Amino acid sequence: MRLQQVYVYADDIVLVTRTEHALINIFQKLKQEAIKYGLVTNQNKTKYMRHSRVQTNVKNKEIEIEGMKSKK
């Protein structure tokens, strides 16, 4: 069973994970690799979407990764 997937199209990247912890880990790895090539993450364009089979009452939650905050 896959825990994470990465989709790339042009200059867009979609990270798909099963947990918030996995999302943070894969985003940190992506950011580190991007820096090697002189690329940066645009905080204003960074977003995330929470999806679940079960209905939850989760409000908009901010995730912070290495000082970069993203809102649902």
Side-chain angles (χ1 to χ4, degrees):
M1 185 180 281
R2 280 195 178 154
L3 297 180
Q4 58 194 28
Q5 296 176 329
V6 178
Y7 301 96
V8 180
Y9 179 78
D11 65 345
D12 295 323
I13 299 174
V14 178
L15 306 174
V16 180
T17 65
R18 293 185 180 260
T19 66
E20 183 178 323
H21 180 73
L23 175 63
I24 291 169
N25 284 339
I26 195 169
F27 183 78
Q28 288 172 333
K29 289 177 186 175
L30 172 67
K31 194 172 173 184
Q32 290 169 359
E33 289 299 314
I35 289 170
K36 290 179 185 178
Y37 297 95
L39 302 173
V40 295
T41 305
N42 186 332
Q43 184 172 354
N44 295 325
K45 292 184 178 181
T46 302
K47 296 176 179 54
Y48 79 94
M49 177 176 67
R50 182 183 200 112
H51 175 44
S52 175
R53 293 181 189 176
V54 179
Q55 177 107 15
T56 61
N57 292 327
V58 176
K59 302 280 185 190
N60 287 347
K61 180 182 175 187
E62 204 171 66
I63 294 178
E64 185 172 340
I65 304 172
E66 295 181 5
M68 182 182 301
K69 294 180 182 178
S70 180
K71 211 170 194 180
K72 183 175 178 181

